[in-house]
Amino acid sequence: MTELELERELETLHQASFGWALGCCRWDREEAADVLQAVYLKVLEGKARFDGRSTLKTWLFATIRRTAAEARRRRWVRALALGRWAGRRPSAAAAADPETLASEAESLRALRAALESLPWRQREVLHLVFHEDLTIDEASAVLGISEGSARTHYARGKERLRQRLGARDRP
Amino acid sequence: MSEKEDPDLRRRFAALRDEDAQDTPDFARLWRQAQARRGRRPSRHIASWLLVAAGTAALLLATVGRHPHPTGASPAGTSAMPSLSQWRPSTDFLLRTPALEVLTTVPTLGEATPSPALSPSTERSSPS
């Protein structure tokens, strides 16, 4: 695949990629854009190379996830070195107060807050399946886990998410 | 268990996806920025090789500096330097005391006792 062909393919997947980057960066838009740019840089430099073993989307999502994790680690080390770990910026979802979420916009914030409260793997599987319309099999390929494990995370995560959203929807 | 179930969750996530898509950064802009960064940034591969080369050179210098030349021949540029056995400290003259020869030579029977008056420029005789 030439660079131009790859560019066109990536452009087609750009919106979905940004959605997944948002999920990996806890809905921090600036950070998600940085991660996506870092992914494109990896692709251009040949550090991330599509070998055709999976679909391009699965490979790209796995690269985004890895890059976001690297960025998170770098940020964590930097914060630790500067002694500012305690004063880190809270995520948008964490700032939401579940008691006051009523309108449509607040319902989205409630969903984000509920997702944020789930264990990391469960959140990732649910995001990939519901937000990105991937199958559980594809989600397991992105996360590098077995399909059985992904199904377990999916079922448990969905159950917890329903409970949390149900608790918030109740008056 | 089918991932196509759960219409309520799907509806909620669809709304979330629509909102997330509103502020998606322009692909062309991100791609151009990545291309610009590619030109600026030195390859990490090259940087790591340079680091290894510098480390090896430093180690080599430290090793050569610590151990003398195995053949005994002095390396080029060091032949003019005095050896350690020839070196004398600048304060060595302070140790020269009158009648130093008495202390540093072995007297023999039948010889005259050397004069105690010694000039400061007298060469220090080595022990026999």
Side-chain angles (χ1 to χ4, degrees), chain B residues 92-111:
Chain B
D92 198 28
F93 73 93
L94 294 172
L95 297 172
R96 288 193 198 125
T97 54
L100 186 67
E101 280 74 6
V102 177
L103 299 171
T104 57
T105 55
V106 180
T108 52
L109 287 171
E111 270 189 12

Side-chain angles (χ1 to χ4, degrees), chain A residues 42 63 65-75, chain B residues 44:
Chain A
K42 277 185 181 178
T63 309
R65 180 176 175 269
R66 212 169 35 248
T67 309
E70 286 163 7
R72 208 165 37 243
R73 264 197 304 276
R74 269 200 303 276
R75 221 174 30 257
Chain B
R44 192 178 289 178

